[in-house]
Amino acid sequence: MKNALATVRRLNWLLFPALLFIAMAGWSISSPPGSSPDEDFHLVSAWCAHGVRDGFCEPGSTAITRVVPLDLIKAPCYAFHPTMAGDCPLGDGQSVETDRGNFTGYYPNGFYAFMGLFASPSLEGSVLVMRLANAAIYAAGLGALLFLARPGQRQNYMLGALVPMVPLGVFTVASINPSSWALTSATLVWASVVEFIRATERPRRISLGMLALVAIFLGMASRADGAAYAALAIGLAWLATAHISRRTVITGAVAAVISLAALLWSLSFGSAAVLTSIAPMNPTQPRGGWLQRLQDLPGFYAGAFGSRGLGWLDTSTRSATWVLAGAAFVAVVFWGVRRCGWRKAASLLLIATVAASLPIMIATLRYATLQESLQPRYFLPLLVIAAMIAVSENNEDGPRLHPAQALLLAASLGIAHANALHTNLRRYLTGIDKKWFNLNTNVEWWWSWAPPPMLVFGVAAGSYA
């Protein structure tokens, strides 16, 4: 038994991303096509990412429209109807002209171009493959980071990647929303750049450099803010490793060039205009209210742990989900700052400043509350980067938790994850108004080929735990 446990401990860096992928695969299966926010837009963008293709994407009557399969638009027919199951009538073969797509450079095209490789006449099959591919990219990137990282840092990176992701993060990564790659990038960039700078062996340094470049590319190819977060992570990685030396000056110059390029890239897209040309949502309301918005920030970020719901924000999660997941995040960050040098303090202070000022500024320009004007997933990468820094920097000996603390943390995250996954399945199988625990009861929607919902739930929840 002792030998078996020792083997597991030696291989946990490999088991961790493998089991996490299985859990995310469960999330991929847990909802029908159209379940992520604005998925009709993202589906059309993926189908048209490679230009005109017969039966997939054809020219519209104007430069900003395309003719696409009607199923892409109809897929989220249940959106904003939480008591309705995910059974949308699809497959009639009709086409429709739409302007709902990335036809004017609102987002980068890299994510859509990759997703477009999996587009096929079967919408369900295409969406499922896209989701699994994004989950695999996250798991493979995390596995590569753990393999290349210093052994003493592996458990820190595991913990840092884990605690900010339940439930919104795992739902988003295993979706066809561009925020999937933004979260993958946020998980990898800071850690891979730090490990790259600190690496002493040339082969490992080269491998970490390649991983960092891939992670930066994922951020730049996902969303405008994904590129901005990558730039921030690069700068914070340099701050964590800077010393008075020639090498620090060189790495700082390279980091500055890459960060500047990423920022300029992010500003070149239409979605970046959110900071400069915002139309007021409530123009009759006063523009002030910064103090109220500041005090609303904790509730806003609690949305990342489930308080705002999943999907199109119409899948309300149980309070046990966001209370346990949020408490686990706060507890781990609190544990991480037990060792807090000036670098970690400065990094976390900078993240906190951005995390507070940016939502308040946008909401103020929109004459609206935080809840009205923004979604937590836009800022979830900040929580990921903060968690990675808090538990990794200055903690070279790994997380030294008391067994009781470790058990409490594992139980909290495991229950929160299982609770959220069960809720997500329930919402699409029968509608959220049905309350029975057995997911196999009175199913109104499910994949024709998939095993019973309770089996999927058990495997995914067990793998995560």
Side-chain angles (χ1 to χ4, degrees):
M1 183 66 178
K2 290 183 178 180
N3 290 337
L5 289 175
T7 301
V8 169
R9 290 193 185 98
R10 286 196 297 270
L11 296 179
N12 61 4
W13 66 267
L14 179 61
L15 291 173
F16 183 88
L19 292 171
L20 190 55
F21 170 74
I22 295 173
M24 288 184 173
W27 280 91
S28 299
I29 300 172
S30 71
S31 59
S35 61
S36 64
D38 302 314
E39 189 159 316
D40 55 335
F41 179 97
H42 302 311
L43 284 170
V44 171
S45 300
W47 256 247
C48 292
H50 295 280
V52 174
R53 291 191 291 174
D54 291 342
F56 289 83
C57 182
E58 299 176 9
S61 59
T62 70
I64 61 171
T65 62
R66 302 291 187 274
V67 176
V68 298
L70 181 60
D71 286 354
L72 305 182
I73 306 298
K74 289 171 58 180
C77 70
Y78 47 75
F80 309 116
H81 302 286
T83 60
M84 176 182 174
D87 187 20
C88 293
L90 302 175
D92 54 14
Q94 298 183 49
S95 297
V96 65
E97 184 172 358
T98 181
D99 61 355
R100 285 280 291 170
N102 192 43
F103 309 139
T104 59
Y106 191 75
Y107 291 119
N109 198 51
F111 176 84
Y112 296 125
F114 184 76
M115 293 294 100
L117 297 175
F118 305 110
S120 74
S122 171
L123 175 62
E124 289 189 344
S126 301
V127 167
L128 185 60
V129 173
M130 292 174 185
R131 292 174 179 175
L132 291 173
N134 288 331
I137 289 171
Y138 183 94
L142 185 58
L145 172 64
L146 298 179
F147 175 72
L148 295 169
R150 293 160 292 159
Q153 283 293 313
R154 285 173 178 164
Q155 292 183 352
N156 288 331
Y157 294 144
M158 291 182 202
L159 192 58
L162 192 70
V163 293
M165 296 291 284
V166 177
L168 184 59
V170 288
F171 173 89
T172 303
V173 167
S175 75
I176 66 166
N177 193 293
S179 295
S180 171
W181 281 15
L183 289 172
T184 302
S185 175
T187 303
L188 299 177
V189 171
W190 181 85
S192 60
V193 173
V194 165
E195 292 295 319
F196 166 79
I197 295 175
R198 289 176 173 166
T200 55
E201 303 88 357
R202 183 180 178 86
R204 195 165 70 89
R205 182 180 297 167
I206 293 174
S207 299
L208 284 163
M210 294 174 62
L211 177 62
L213 289 175
V214 169
I216 294 167
F217 167 79
L218 291 176
M220 295 176 67
S222 61
R223 299 168 47 93
D225 53 4
Y229 290 136
L232 175 64
I234 294 169
L236 294 175
W238 179 82
L239 176 62
T241 56
H243 296 281
I244 301 176
S245 67
R246 179 172 175 268
R247 183 181 176 187
T248 293
V249 174
I250 294 174
T251 56
V254 173
V257 170
I258 297 175
S259 297
L260 180 61
L263 282 173
L264 293 176
W265 172 267
S266 70
L267 293 173
S268 67
F269 296 99
S271 52
V274 69
L275 299 178
T276 57
S277 58
I278 297 179
M281 296 178 65
N282 301 306
T284 60
Q285 300 298 318
R287 196 174 196 176
W290 65 267
L291 181 60
Q292 181 62 49
R293 295 185 180 102
L294 179 64
Q295 295 179 79
D296 287 342
L297 276 173
F300 172 72
Y301 280 104
F305 305 107
S307 69
R308 284 284 298 277
L310 301 176
W312 294 69
L313 303 182
D314 59 358
T315 305
S316 56
T317 61
R318 306 175 184 111
S319 58
T321 296
W322 61 267
V323 169
L324 290 174
F329 173 82
V330 172
V332 167
V333 171
F334 183 79
W335 168 85
V337 297
R338 79 195 193 283
R339 295 178 181 173
C340 190
W342 71 268
R343 300 171 192 273
K344 179 188 286 189
S347 297
L348 294 178
L349 180 60
L350 178 59
I351 293 174
T353 302
V354 173
S357 61
L358 198 57
I360 291 175
M361 180 183 71
I362 295 173
T364 300
L365 292 174
R366 287 181 169 172
Y367 291 67
T369 66
L370 293 175
Q371 306 283 15
E372 289 175 328
S373 57
L374 295 166
Q375 294 185 33
R377 65 184 172 89
Y378 302 150
F379 298 91
L380 183 53
L382 286 174
L383 300 185
V384 174
I385 297 171
M388 295 293 281
I389 292 174
V391 303
S392 302
E393 186 62 14
N394 305 128
N395 298 318
E396 299 292 332
D397 55 351
R400 302 295 181 182
L401 299 176
H402 187 278
Q405 292 176 309
L407 181 61
L408 182 60
L409 177 63
S412 297
L413 285 174
I415 293 171
H417 172 267
N419 211 354
L421 180 58
H422 188 277
T423 301
N424 201 59
L425 281 160
R426 168 59 61 216
R427 185 259 179 272
Y428 297 106
L429 289 169
T430 62
I432 202 70
D433 55 327
K434 305 301 189 296
K435 302 300 182 184
W436 47 76
F437 174 76
N438 188 351
L439 296 170
N440 297 337
T441 302
N442 295 342
V443 171
E444 299 175 36
W445 165 84
W446 190 235
W447 311 92
S448 60
W449 50 266
M454 281 301 292
L455 179 59
V456 171
F457 166 72
V459 172
S463 296
Y464 183 89

